[in-house]
Amino acid sequence: MASPVAAVAGAPAGFRVVLRNRNFTYLWSAQLLSQIAQNLINYAVLVKVEELSHSTTQVAVTIVAFILPAVIFGPIAGVFVDRMDKKAILVYTNLLRGVATLGFVFLGGSLPAIYVILFVSSAINQLFSPAEGASIPMLVKRDQLLNAMSLFSVTFYSAVVLGFIILAPMAIKLAGLDVAFYLTVAMYGAAAGLCVVLPGRTVRIRAVPAPHEPPHAGWHVESRSQFLNDLVYILDKPELTAAIIQLTLISTLLLIMGEVAPGFTNRVLNLSAEDTAYVFLPMGAGLLAGMLSTGRLITVVPKQLLTRISVTAIGVLMFGIGISPPLSNIGSRLTQAAGFRPHAANWLVGVDLFLFLLLGIAFAYVLVPAQTLVQELAGDEVRGRVISIQLMVSSAFTII
């Protein structure tokens, strides 16, 4: 009999199939709105801090204030999510993040207040993400899980481009910071409304006591014991461990690329920082193309092998982007020797755009198989906690 992982690998259904599932579409739409809102906030807060302090140190503190809650609360959040009604968590976390965002409008003149609000908002998000991830397998059929995860991965990383690189700069430039924050509040409210219509019975998992703790153990004792047991659970599954490491690597690289993107566009490609969205558009196109083709590719290439090959390819491509300036000069000289007179910068932009396209494809060939393995190899009773640990590890590496 084929394993569940093999069954998912052979899934023939596409995005349109899973989107015909009304409940899944509600959850996916809520994810789209909340992720765009979160990335819009991230950009707007960085701009706000820069305006108030003109200090890269304060900007770094802002980033830490957002990331730190995942390290502190991630394991506890996973235990909580696996014992509570996931529909309620999805609704209330969106509402609470919307309320927290209003704090940036009314208390945004104080740096300490901004840090506290950002920390609280990020702490709330530690409940939303695992509840959302653990709800997906409860809303779709097993043979559609790969396609569902592909769509969620496309949405997650597209939201980074839409929210952080395109929508946030546009909204702030045209209407100002406060309007950007109000827009975010509206998005969180709409996401909460979409989660309200989800069926409650599909988002509840029975409470499971820690394997080595009595049911009456205190919350802190149980959480600590559960966290250690979950770590052992993950480490005992080499494929699950490898998938989490790969997802951590990719999420860290994407965050770093998002932070350096404007500077890279301006100082390396000699373009305006406002052109960042256009420069990185090929990577988004490659990410989308890779995610759309993963389902078919994974039927002939095992998921574990595909992720390992793709991680190696990412390393090669990142090295290529790093040495692209001298490569562009060589290409320009060769072209001039053939009788043409192109500018070296044109070669540089062309080479990097092509490398970004390939990089997006390689990212997709890691993200989708690895995330699907996490969903499949983590049982229903521990999936929320495993996802929380995955987010915690990613955040910890980002801080380092």
Side-chain angles (χ1 to χ4, degrees), residues 249-250 252-258 260 264 280 283 310-325 327 351-352 354-356 358-360 362-363:
L249 171 65
I250 300 305
T252 303
L253 283 176
L254 284 170
L255 180 61
I256 292 172
M257 292 183 69
V260 305
F264 179 87
F280 283 83
M283 187 170 74
S310 300
V311 167
T312 303
I314 288 170
V316 174
L317 291 168
M318 294 293 287
F319 177 77
I321 293 172
I323 64 171
S324 59
L327 285 180
V351 168
D352 281 340
F354 179 68
L355 292 177
F356 283 140
L358 298 179
L359 191 62
F363 277 149

Side-chain angles (χ1 to χ4, degrees), residues 137-380:
M138 302 177 187
L139 297 175
V140 301
K141 296 178 180 179
R142 186 175 292 274
D143 64 350
Q144 296 174 359
L145 183 57
L146 177 63
N147 299 288
M149 291 310 306
S150 297
L151 182 57
F152 263 69
S153 296
V154 169
T155 304
F156 181 87
Y157 294 103
S158 298
V160 175
V161 177
L162 288 172
F164 196 88
I165 298 178
I166 298 177
L167 186 58
M170 184 184 304
I172 293 171
K173 187 173 184 178
L174 295 177
L177 277 169
D178 286 352
V179 172
F181 287 129
Y182 284 128
L183 177 61
T184 300
V185 173
M187 288 183 178
Y188 279 135
L194 288 166
C195 292
V196 166
V197 298
L198 290 173
R201 62 182 178 83
T202 64
V203 288
R204 181 182 292 275
I205 292 181
R206 64 182 178 86
V208 179
H212 302 296
E213 288 290 335
H216 60 275
W219 170 262
H220 297 291
V221 174
E222 183 181 1
S223 297
R224 183 172 61 253
S225 175
Q226 190 70 74
F227 175 65
L228 294 175
N229 289 333
D230 292 339
L231 281 179
V232 172
Y233 177 88
I234 292 171
L235 294 173
D236 280 345
K237 293 177 177 288
E239 292 180 356
L240 180 58
T241 303
I244 290 176
I245 292 173
Q246 290 162 351
L247 290 169
T248 299
L249 171 65
I250 300 305
S251 63
T252 303
L253 283 176
L254 284 170
L255 180 61
I256 292 172
M257 292 183 69
E259 291 175 356
V260 305
F264 179 87
T265 302
N266 182 248
R267 292 189 289 272
V268 177
L269 299 182
N270 295 315
L271 300 173
S272 169
E274 296 178 354
D275 294 326
T276 299
Y278 303 106
V279 171
F280 283 83
L281 190 60
M283 187 170 74
L287 193 65
L288 178 60
M291 289 178 174
L292 290 173
S293 61
T294 302
R296 183 172 299 177
L297 181 62
I298 221 165
T299 62
V300 291
V301 180
K303 283 197 284 293
Q304 294 87 344
L305 178 60
L306 178 60
T307 56
R308 289 166 187 164
I309 292 174
S310 300
V311 167
T312 303
I314 288 170
V316 174
L317 291 168
M318 294 293 287
F319 177 77
I321 293 172
I323 64 171
S324 59
L327 285 180
S328 69
N329 289 329
I330 294 173
S332 179
R333 291 173 184 174
L334 290 175
T335 306
Q336 290 176 13
F340 298 97
R341 293 290 183 271
H343 194 278
N346 295 333
W347 269 95
L348 178 58
V349 173
V351 168
D352 281 340
L353 290 182
F354 179 68
L355 292 177
F356 283 140
L357 175 68
L358 298 179
L359 191 62
I361 295 174
F363 277 149
Y365 287 166
V366 176
L367 289 169
V368 177
Q371 192 65 64
T372 304
L373 281 169
V374 170
Q375 292 282 351
E376 278 295 317
L377 295 174
D380 287 347

Side-chain angles (χ1 to χ4, degrees), residues 18-210:
V18 293
L19 287 174
R20 291 193 191 107
N21 181 331
R22 182 179 301 176
N23 292 323
F24 173 81
T25 302
Y26 290 150
L27 182 64
W28 170 72
S29 300
Q31 183 223 16
L32 176 63
L33 288 170
S34 63
Q35 291 294 344
I36 291 177
Q38 185 62 66
N39 283 286
L40 200 157
I41 285 178
N42 291 346
Y43 185 92
V45 170
L46 288 175
V47 171
K48 186 77 171 178
V49 171
E50 175 64 26
E51 288 181 352
L52 291 173
S53 68
H54 303 289
S55 167
T56 53
T57 300
Q58 297 301 325
V59 171
V61 172
T62 305
I63 295 173
V64 171
F66 175 75
I67 294 173
L68 195 59
V71 180
I72 298 175
F73 302 117
I76 299 175
V79 174
F80 183 81
V81 165
D82 279 333
R83 284 158 171 75
M84 299 299 293
D85 184 345
K86 292 172 180 56
K87 173 182 175 178
I89 293 174
L90 294 171
V91 172
Y92 288 118
T93 51
N94 275 308
L95 291 175
L96 289 172
R97 285 187 292 175
V99 172
T101 302
L102 291 175
F104 294 121
V105 177
F106 300 108
L107 302 173
S110 165
L111 283 177
I114 290 176
Y115 299 148
V116 171
I117 296 168
L118 192 61
F119 184 90
V120 171
S121 179
S122 180
I124 296 170
N125 190 54
Q126 304 317 307
L127 293 173
F128 176 82
S129 297
E132 178 189 58
S135 297
I136 298 173
M138 302 177 187
L139 297 175
V140 301
K141 296 178 180 179
R142 186 175 292 274
D143 64 350
Q144 296 174 359
L145 183 57
L146 177 63
N147 299 288
M149 291 310 306
S150 297
L151 182 57
F152 263 69
S153 296
V154 169
T155 304
F156 181 87
Y157 294 103
S158 298
V160 175
V161 177
L162 288 172
F164 196 88
I165 298 178
I166 298 177
L167 186 58
M170 184 184 304
I172 293 171
K173 187 173 184 178
L174 295 177
L177 277 169
D178 286 352
V179 172
F181 287 129
Y182 284 128
L183 177 61
T184 300
V185 173
M187 288 183 178
Y188 279 135
L194 288 166
C195 292
V196 166
V197 298
L198 290 173
R201 62 182 178 83
T202 64
V203 288
R204 181 182 292 275
I205 292 181
R206 64 182 178 86
V208 179

